[in-house]
Amino acid sequence: MNYWLMQLQKDNKPDNTDIINRLKSGFIGIDLDPCEEVENDSKPLTQWTTDEIAQYKGGTWKGILHAFLEIKVFDIVLIRNGVTPIALVKIVGNYVFSQHDLEQVWYKHRYPITLLDYYSAYQERNVGAHLKMPQLRSILTKAVDYRTQSYQLIDKWYKDYSRHHHDASEHKLIEISISNFKTFYDFKIDGLTQINLIAGKNNVGKTSLLESGYINLVSRDIEHYLTSLIKLKKMRTCYLETHSSRIALSDLRHAKDSNDLTIQSNINTTAFHVENDAIRLEVNGISQTYSRFEIQKRVDNGTVMVDRSNIQFIPSFSINDETLSFLFSKIQMARKKEWLNQSLAEHFDENIVEFDLILGEPKLFLLNRDEGWISLSEFGEGIKRFITLICAIWASQEGACFIDEIEDGIHYLHYNKLWEIVFNTAKEANCQIFASTHSKEMIESYYKEAKRLDQKDISLTTLVRDKENQSKAVTYDFDWLTHEMSQNHEVRGW
């Protein structure tokens, strides 16, 4: 999640009432003045070439265009009028380009938003409080440095709002429909909650469900959609030690005689169309066509964007040191390294003082060892799995974390402590969790810890196959799960 500052106006003397009315329309946007070199009203910014952006009105506007395309779902934007704050909004959807003349409502280049708070409401909650920007800023600015007044202002306001409204991100994944993706032909699930456990037999679609949710959430635009497909495909191939690089994305289809693959949720709609010698990708109505050769070249060369979003996917197998380093950097940026160290000392060994990467190698510092720093490879896979999950959840702060076969590498006697850590870390990081399992003991520990910690915003989804061998979902909320567990009913689907 990032913080932004944005000046909204339609002339040189903006009116606060006009700004608020515009925000109520559910969008924020930027207005591009005509430019002879660029027909800016003819296509979305996501289709602009580097040359077109370079031609546009000099350095200031080029910076604004780049910044506008960097905004992500769940980012927080402070809307201001000069140095006066007006409102706090949250980005709830991907970039939208409209061909219609909506100037009276909003501009053609825009993002869907939800209006969180008015400045007047903040002042009412905090009598005498006064927020004022330290200086005039440009039309759109990213608050990067947490030491600046601008960053601290937004952070203070957003956290105050969250405390009073218990804002747990109303735009989390609630329902998802999947058509023609891997094991799913026509599948739908709803009733998803803050913490979601997916259970079922092998090859019933648990991993496919996690992958489809990850793809849908991370696909803020066409490029991220393509990247997510390639990333998951290569991840699975590397795990299976397949040395052939000929990975065809069309293999993701359930029915090879059907050319369409669709994943639709309350957040995004992504589609994948196989055409003769090309593949057409679509995200929220915006599409782009790639030749099969172009996509295959990207797969073969490993041309994948660095995933810096707050949506993470953790596979069932042990991650490499490079991936662990990336996740650990996220926990450092969140300034939650001490949270990790305390969890390790409390749940594993009180002699553990610190986890860190020393010259790129994961190590633990122990009080009862003469050498101090010990390579993580000398410990079992269990502690590495715990470290991975804690770092991944913090890397998914204000977002979502997908964990395949969560019990992998962890002894069943440690399942309770695993769920205690997951529940507490996810709550602190405001992270939505999706995890899969086929273990009865894992389900029992999940329920017991949720009950003990009074964590009721949970669900258990069991995947089963019907008479036509199609995957179907049965979702238990906390109350239904409590009834089934108290009656000793089988909830795994077999």
Side-chain angles (χ1 to χ4, degrees):
M1 180 184 71
N2 296 308
Y3 292 151
W4 298 83
L5 302 97
M6 193 170 194
Q7 169 81 28
L8 300 187
Q9 62 184 64
K10 68 174 183 179
D11 51 43
N12 294 327
K13 296 181 180 179
D15 178 79
N16 291 353
T17 301
D18 175 69
I19 292 176
I20 291 174
N21 287 336
R22 286 171 175 262
L23 294 176
K24 288 180 179 178
S25 71
F27 295 97
I28 58 173
I30 57 175
D31 186 22
L32 302 181
D33 294 331
C35 176
E36 293 181 2
E37 293 84 359
V38 182
E39 297 179 2
N40 59 288
D41 284 336
S42 64
K43 60 183 178 181
L45 295 177
T46 49
Q47 295 180 12
W48 281 33
T49 66
T50 303
D51 289 340
E52 286 175 328
I53 293 179
Q55 293 170 357
Y56 199 84
K57 288 191 67 177
T60 300
W61 264 100
K62 282 189 290 184
I64 291 172
L65 294 182
H66 280 297
F68 194 67
L69 292 175
E70 291 177 12
I71 293 177
K72 298 182 295 186
V73 175
F74 302 132
D75 280 1
I76 303 300
V77 184
L78 184 150
I79 307 300
R80 60 183 177 79
N81 183 356
V83 296
T84 303
I86 302 298
L88 201 66
V89 305
K90 176 178 286 188
I91 304 296
V92 298
N94 295 310
Y95 166 80
V96 177
F97 174 73
S98 174
Q99 295 282 12
H100 303 291
D101 184 9
L102 298 176
E103 185 174 354
Q104 297 304 314
V105 178
W106 201 246
Y107 305 121
K108 294 187 176 183
H109 305 283
R110 51 189 178 156
Y111 280 92
I113 57 127
T114 184
L115 184 55
L116 297 181
D117 201 17
Y118 297 109
Y119 179 49
S120 58
Y122 174 85
Q123 289 179 307
E124 289 177 5
R125 290 195 306 272
N126 302 273
V127 178
H130 182 66
L131 297 176
K132 191 171 184 179
M133 303 302 304
Q135 61 185 30
L136 284 170
R137 304 297 291 271
S138 64
I139 293 174
L140 178 64
T141 305
K142 187 176 182 179
V144 178
D145 190 343
Y146 67 88
R147 295 168 297 185
T148 63
Q149 287 181 269
S150 299
Y151 186 101
Q152 293 172 9
L153 187 156
I154 303 173
D155 189 59
K156 176 179 175 59
W157 190 355
Y158 178 59
K159 289 180 177 177
D160 172 79
Y161 170 84
S162 298
R163 284 193 299 268
H164 284 82
H165 295 80
H166 307 287
D167 176 39
S169 185
E170 60 195 35
H171 291 273
K172 294 185 182 297
L173 191 61
I174 298 173
E175 60 183 20
I176 188 168
S177 299
I178 307 167
S179 176
N180 201 31
F181 177 73
K182 298 182 73 170
T183 57
F184 300 123
Y185 178 70
D186 185 14
F187 178 87
K188 182 176 182 179
I189 180 175
D190 54 19
L192 298 173
T193 56
Q194 181 73 16
I195 312 291
N196 305 271
L197 184 60
I198 317 297
K201 294 182 178 180
N202 289 331
N203 301 317
V204 77
K206 300 187 299 296
T207 301
S208 297
L209 179 54
L210 296 183
E211 290 176 340
S212 62
Y214 170 80
I215 290 170
N216 186 266
L217 282 186
V218 84
S219 298
R220 59 185 291 241
D221 52 37
I222 297 292
E223 186 64 26
H224 283 83
Y225 181 30
L226 177 57
T227 293
S228 68
L229 293 171
I230 295 175
K231 176 181 177 179
L232 292 178
K233 192 66 177 174
K234 290 181 70 68
M235 182 187 296
R236 182 62 49 184
T237 303
C238 291
Y239 172 58
L240 295 176
E241 298 181 352
T242 302
H243 298 290
S244 171
S245 64
R246 307 310 297 173
I247 307 169
L249 291 183
S250 57
D251 291 342
L252 294 172
R253 292 173 296 163
H254 172 85
K256 302 304 183 289
D257 59 344
S258 176
N259 292 329
D260 297 329
L261 181 162
T262 304
I263 304 173
Q264 182 175 7
S265 74
N266 57 298
I267 303 294
N268 289 317
T269 297
T270 58
F272 180 106
H273 310 279
V274 179
E275 305 170 346
N276 296 328
D277 295 324
I279 292 178
R280 178 165 55 87
L281 302 182
E282 182 176 327
V283 175
N284 298 327
I286 298 176
S287 63
Q288 187 166 340
T289 301
Y290 297 85
S291 69
R292 289 179 183 246
F293 173 78
E294 181 181 1
I295 287 185
Q296 191 61 56
K297 183 178 179 181
R298 292 189 59 172
V299 173
D300 294 346
N301 295 338
T303 312
V304 178
M305 295 173 61
V306 177
D307 184 4
R308 301 190 183 279
S309 72
N310 56 350
I311 313 295
Q312 300 297 328
F313 187 96
I314 304 302
S316 59
F317 48 91
S318 180
I319 63 174
N320 57 33
D321 289 350
E322 181 181 1
T323 303
L324 181 57
S325 175
F326 167 73
L327 295 176
F328 183 61
S329 70
K330 289 286 191 176
I331 207 171
Q332 290 176 305
M333 292 172 63
R335 302 165 72 188
K336 293 296 180 180
K337 182 179 175 181
E338 190 58 32
W339 178 283
L340 171 62
N341 294 331
Q342 289 177 355
S343 297
L344 295 176
E346 178 181 351
H347 294 285
F348 284 93
D349 186 340
E350 62 182 10
N351 291 299
I352 296 177
V353 177
E354 184 179 3
F355 170 82
D356 210 334
L357 280 97
I358 309 298
L359 298 177
E361 182 182 0
K363 291 187 176 184
L364 289 170
F365 188 91
L366 275 71
L367 289 175
N368 60 346
R369 298 285 289 269
D370 292 338
E371 58 269 48
W373 287 104
I374 311 297
S375 175
L376 186 61
S377 62
E378 294 188 23
F379 299 84
E381 280 297 316
I383 192 169
K384 181 178 181 180
R385 185 69 166 175
F386 273 90
I387 292 172
T388 297
L389 296 184
I390 294 173
C391 291
I393 293 172
W394 276 112
S396 308
Q397 186 175 11
E398 300 290 340
C401 185
F402 296 82
I403 308 167
D404 195 17
E405 294 186 21
I406 189 171
E407 71 272 18
D408 183 70
I410 298 176
H411 194 276
Y412 74 92
L413 293 178
H414 292 164
Y415 286 175
N416 285 353
K417 71 170 66 173
L418 169 67
W419 281 118
E420 180 181 358
I421 290 175
V422 170
F423 283 139
N424 289 335
T425 308
K427 181 178 180 180
E428 183 71 14
N430 190 23
C431 170
Q432 190 176 21
I433 301 292
F434 299 87
S436 68
T437 186
H438 51 69
S439 165
K440 180 179 180 181
E441 292 79 12
M442 179 59 73
I443 297 173
E444 291 173 346
S445 294
Y446 175 66
Y447 169 69
K448 288 177 182 178
E449 284 301 299
K451 184 177 181 181
R452 183 179 72 84
L453 298 172
D454 195 30
Q455 173 74 311
K456 296 184 179 181
D457 195 11
I458 70 166
S459 72
L460 171 68
T461 295
T462 298
L463 297 184
V464 297
R465 291 193 181 275
D466 60 18
K467 295 180 179 180
E468 285 74 37
N469 201 35
Q470 299 300 320
S471 294
K472 302 296 180 183
V474 179
T475 300
Y476 304 85
D477 61 14
F478 179 81
D479 292 335
W480 189 11
L481 182 59
T482 297
H483 176 268
E484 295 299 295
M485 298 296 284
S486 66
Q487 300 297 316
N488 294 318
H489 291 168
E490 179 60 72
V491 293
R492 291 181 298 169
W494 70 89

